[in-house]
Amino acid sequence: MTSYKDLGLVNTKEMFAKAIKGGYAIPAYNFNNMEQMQAIIQACVETKSPVILQVSAGARKYANKNLLKNMAKGAVEYAHELGCDIPIVLHLDHGDSLELCVDCIESGFSSVMIDGSHLPYDENVALTKKVCEYAHKHGVTVEGELGVLAGVEDDVSSEVSHYTKPEEVQDFVSKTGVDSLAISIGTSHGRQKFKPEQCTKNADGVLIPPPLAFDILAEIEKKLPGFPIVLHGSSSVPVEYVKEIEQYGGKLSDSVGIPEEQLRKAAKSAVCKINIDSDGRLAMTAAIRKVLSEKPDEFDPRKYLGPARDELKKLYMHKNTNVLGSAGQA
Ligand code: G3H
Ligand code: 13P
Ligand code: ZN
């Protein structure tokens, strides 16, 4: 058993309390390789932002759990070397079983998500409670989820009916003991968060999505005053990256994300963790495609992964400073 404390990591408790009080959100950036981890740490050290290094079950399989543990330890040492001991959390994203959560806790994670949102309510409560009981014995914080994030395949009416029900949140939090709650108010995973027919178009032909359900967020906040709320599916899907990827041979039709102003507004509320994965994927892919297309004879991975890392760092610095408001809070 490796405790997260031995790796120099922290759990989310104090981080979230400060974020709610301060009206900002902590960035939760997904990673699965070295360049992504370097970019996250460089950006968060330079902007003096606390950070959540987020690992999905798939990413854990891809990267290897022992390597990941040591990468997290390395991230703490790297931040120190760069000159700022920012608080760093290692978090399991969308854990789907008690066994996976236990395995992560035993290999140095300081926070886990148990995503029982697809289960019937009582089963979600029972599973989440079990994870909390185990995690809390080890000082690890737990994120639960109520409400299902829409997928692009769902029809519009089922998206609405999957929003978090404010009348359930108090009962869920008190029965499970979760430390934070992911909710569904209109965000979704990936680069196609809405169907084109749900959007309007601006003068440049860019798709403008419908607003998030801030009324539901406000009701949830009323039911759980001061309780940490999490937003998944919060990439903005920058049109510049989509255009650049398409300019260099990619095909990403009907891409649409969550506008930055809406995330800024959410970050000022009880939303204190904002999950971003797709935007990083887009930034890396755009940079790599550009290099490979402009320099067809290039075959040194450092020559395209280096620019991808730089672009990622730029993106994360922008998010911390202009969207989440976490810059300067470490
Ligand atoms: O919420 C999902 C994250 O974007 C992780 O995606 O399962 O492809 O690693 P993944
Ligand atoms: P995006 O696909 O919008 O980046 O969401 C990521 C996420 O919620 C990870 O849990
Ligand atoms: Zn998610």
Side-chain angles (χ1 to χ4, degrees):
M1 162 105 192
T2 304
S3 164
Y4 69 86
K5 293 170 195 156
D6 299 332
L7 305 178
L9 301 164
V10 297
N11 68 22
T12 58
K13 202 100 204 158
E14 195 184 324
M15 210 181 247
F16 285 172
K18 283 187 184 165
I20 293 185
K21 253 197 178 161
Y24 61 92
I26 309 289
Y29 296 132
N30 288 70
F31 87 108
N32 46 60
N33 74 19
M34 183 187 73
E35 281 79 6
Q36 292 167 333
M37 191 271 270
Q38 289 172 319
I40 295 169
I41 298 300
Q42 289 170 8
C44 292
V45 163
E46 272 185 47
T47 56
K48 296 204 165 16
S49 170
V51 69
I52 296 173
L53 293 174
Q54 190 156 262
V55 178
S56 70
R60 199 157 179 261
K61 248 188 227 150
Y62 174 84
N64 178 277
K65 70 179 190 181
N66 283 318
L67 283 177
L68 265 179
K69 176 172 76 182
N70 286 294
M71 280 172 88
K73 182 167 179 271
V76 172
E77 289 166 9
Y78 186 44
H80 182 77
E81 184 189 322
L82 293 176
C84 186
D85 291 310
I86 54 171
I88 300 175
V89 169
L90 180 64
H91 175 77
L92 169 66
D93 193 22
H94 295 284
D96 61 355
S97 67
L98 173 64
E99 293 68 31
L100 176 61
C101 292
V102 167
D103 196 35
C104 285
I105 291 165
E106 291 186 346
S107 62
F109 280 63
S110 57
S111 173
V112 293
M113 174 188 194
I114 178 69
D115 182 357
S117 62
H118 292 272
L119 299 172
Y121 181 80
D122 289 338
E123 288 175 37
N124 187 2
V125 167
L127 176 61
T128 306
K129 185 169 186 269
K130 269 192 218 153
V131 172
C132 288
E133 282 166 358
Y134 182 82
H136 290 164
K137 275 194 235 155
H138 299 277
V140 169
T141 39
V142 180
E143 175 184 323
E145 177 161 342
L146 261 186
V148 179
L149 264 63
V152 77
E153 305 305 328
D154 293 345
D155 63 33
V156 178
S157 58
S158 72
E159 280 171 21
V160 173
S161 69
H162 286 52
Y163 283 172
T164 304
K165 296 183 184 122
E167 62 273 21
E168 286 181 350
V169 297
Q170 269 173 334
D171 185 68
F172 185 80
V173 167
S174 68
K175 280 187 178 150
T176 58
V178 276
D179 303 280
S180 61
L181 183 67
I183 60 164
S184 170
I185 55 166
T187 63
S188 60
H189 294 108
R191 67 171 179 88
Q192 294 172 302
K193 301 197 185 296
F194 301 92
K195 292 179 192 170
E197 57 268 30
Q198 290 176 273
C199 304
T200 52
K201 268 190 187 167
N202 74 6
D204 301 322
V206 175
L207 293 171
I208 309 296
L212 299 179
F214 281 102
D215 51 336
I216 294 183
L217 173 59
E219 276 186 63
I220 292 170
E221 281 194 71
K222 247 192 249 158
K223 303 268 186 197
L224 294 173
F227 190 79
I229 300 297
V230 177
L231 266 196
H232 282 248
S234 297
S235 278
S236 294
V237 189
V239 76
E240 306 76 42
Y241 289 144
V242 173
K243 279 191 179 153
E244 198 172 359
I245 289 170
E246 295 200 318
Q247 179 190 343
Y248 293 110
K251 233 176 163 325
L252 298 178
S253 54
D254 299 338
S255 296
V256 52
I258 310 297
E260 290 184 346
E261 316 81 69
Q262 299 209 22
L263 296 169
R264 228 173 356 239
K265 185 172 164 189
K268 289 185 181 145
S269 72
V271 169
C272 62
K273 172 175 179 275
I274 289 191
N275 286 11
I276 296 169
D277 186 359
S278 298
D279 282 357
R281 298 178 181 198
L282 292 167
M284 281 195 94
T285 302
I288 291 169
R289 274 194 181 275
K290 183 169 193 288
V291 174
L292 294 181
S293 165
E294 287 177 348
K295 298 179 186 158
D297 59 342
E298 189 54 74
F299 70 104
D300 178 346
R302 292 170 297 184
K303 296 288 168 35
Y304 49 87
L305 292 178
R309 182 176 61 191
D310 293 344
E311 193 56 51
L312 263 184
K313 177 183 174 188
K314 209 168 86 188
L315 171 78
Y316 294 143
M317 289 183 71
H318 164 71
K319 301 259 183 209
N320 295 352
T321 308
N322 304 315
V323 185
L324 311 190
S326 64
Q329 304 290 350

